[in-house]
Amino acid sequence: MDWLKIAAAVFLVAMFFMILPSAKRMVKESPKGSASDWMGFIIPIVAIVLFVILLIALV
Amino acid sequence: MQMNTAVTRSQEAILQTNKVIRNTYMLLSMTLIFSGLLAFVSIAMQASHIIAFGATIVGILLLWFVLPRTQNSAAGIPVIFGITGLLGFGLGPMLSYYLAVNPSIVMVAMGGTGTIFLGLSGYALTTRKDFSFLGGFIFVGLLVAIAAMVANLFLGIPALALAISAAVIMIMSGYILMQTSMMINGGETNYIAATAGLFIAILNIFTSLLHILGAFGDD
């Protein structure tokens, strides 16, 4: 099982370096969000957190 | 005359946007069904961890190297089905484990994932907000999550694993909002690429939710 862990780690590191250029580009090119933009993101995320807590209570 | 041209262009843009959204959701639903079928096959075959891991790796390699070259042609359709099928097959051993422990966890995770996806898509479609500002946050968050995953493969801290799952749900939720707003605002015109992104987000939310519910479940 240990070699499977090592293979998974190698694959995740490869994934990290595959995503890295896109991440750099996104950080550079993404527009800056205003306070109301971020609120528009935070509200559904809070709803999801509450929903997941509800699901945990269900199982 | 100029006004007429502007109105025609605007109508064309709306029609194009509607077409991308319709095609994306149609392809997404078909790939989800296909992926579910392959996951069922994997469970029925009692596929080993090694075979499932191999299927996942081949699926991700197709996503990285083959899909970008084929997504602008009809060849992208079999490729996206190949990717989603392999990723679905890769879920087999994990699903078998949770089904053996507590089958209701899998059902709740499926329903929960569907609700989260529909809720976020509905929110982005109705508000028509531009979520492109999330790009940097999502990709940096993803890098941090991957680094934490690598560390936890060797550290094996359960609390960190749960924190990673919670973070992945938030990052992928942000990705769904951004991808949907890009489809609405014309930033994404390729329905195959949009389907691939949304599928990966749904898959990650499902597996993370499964992990969280499995950890907090009674059994």
Side-chain angles (χ1 to χ4, degrees):
Chain A
M1 242 356 220
D2 269 344
W3 75 266
L4 203 60
K5 245 184 206 179
I6 293 164
V10 169
F11 195 69
L12 283 170
V13 171
M15 193 183 277
F16 183 95
F17 286 105
M18 282 294 291
I19 293 171
L20 193 60
S22 305
K24 280 182 182 170
R25 202 188 65 235
M26 280 288 186
V27 169
K28 213 179 277 180
E29 292 175 8
S30 288
K32 292 273 175 281
S34 65
S36 73
D37 285 336
W38 281 101
M39 276 311 286
F41 169 63
I42 290 166
I43 290 166
I45 291 299
V46 170
I48 288 171
V49 170
L50 294 174
F51 179 64
V52 171
I53 292 169
L54 175 76
L55 292 182
I56 291 168
L58 281 176
V59 293
Chain B
M1 185 67 182
Q2 273 181 338
M3 194 183 270
N4 282 345
T5 312
V7 169
T8 311
R9 274 188 194 152
S10 169
Q11 281 177 337
E12 276 175 14
I14 292 166
L15 284 173
Q16 174 65 23
T17 300
N18 289 344
K19 196 179 163 190
V20 171
I21 293 171
R22 194 180 57 238
N23 287 345
T24 301
Y25 288 133
M26 201 181 287
L27 186 59
L28 184 63
S29 48
M30 285 192 286
T31 51
L32 284 170
I33 292 167
F34 184 66
S35 181
L37 280 174
L38 266 285
F40 179 76
V41 169
S42 177
I43 293 167
M45 281 173 59
Q46 294 181 324
S48 67
H49 281 92
I50 296 165
I51 292 171
F53 183 64
T56 304
I57 287 193
V58 174
I60 293 175
L61 290 176
L62 284 174
L63 181 74
W64 283 348
F65 300 110
V66 182
L67 190 70
R69 291 182 185 140
T70 53
Q71 65 188 16
N72 292 316
S73 66
I77 303 283
V79 174
I80 188 86
F81 274 96
I83 292 166
T84 55
L86 286 164
L87 293 178
F89 190 87
L91 290 179
M94 187 177 66
L95 290 177
S96 297
Y97 170 77
Y98 283 110
L99 285 170
V101 174
N102 183 356
S104 70
I105 288 175
V106 179
M107 301 304 144
V108 173
M110 273 171 69
T113 306
T115 307
I116 290 170
F117 174 70
L118 291 176
L120 289 170
S121 301
Y123 178 74
L125 286 167
T126 50
T127 61
R128 303 186 82 82
K129 281 183 179 168
D130 181 9
F131 287 102
S132 59
F133 68 94
L134 289 174
F137 165 80
I138 290 166
F139 277 84
V140 172
L142 209 52
L143 290 180
V144 173
I146 291 170
M149 279 177 209
V150 175
N152 209 37
L153 271 175
F154 301 100
L155 297 172
I157 304 168
L160 180 58
L162 284 175
I164 293 168
S165 294
V168 167
I169 292 177
M170 279 186 237
I171 293 164
M172 291 299 145
S173 297
Y175 185 83
I176 289 171
L177 288 174
M178 187 179 77
Q179 184 72 39
T180 310
S181 83
M182 277 168 70
M183 289 194 298
I184 297 165
N185 299 313
E188 179 62 85
T189 53
N190 188 308
Y191 70 94
I192 297 176
T195 301
L198 291 175
F199 180 88
I200 296 297
I202 291 170
L203 188 79
N204 280 307
I205 290 175
F206 174 64
T207 53
S208 300
L209 203 50
L210 205 53
H211 183 220
I212 290 173
L213 296 177
F216 286 105
D218 290 338
D219 301 299

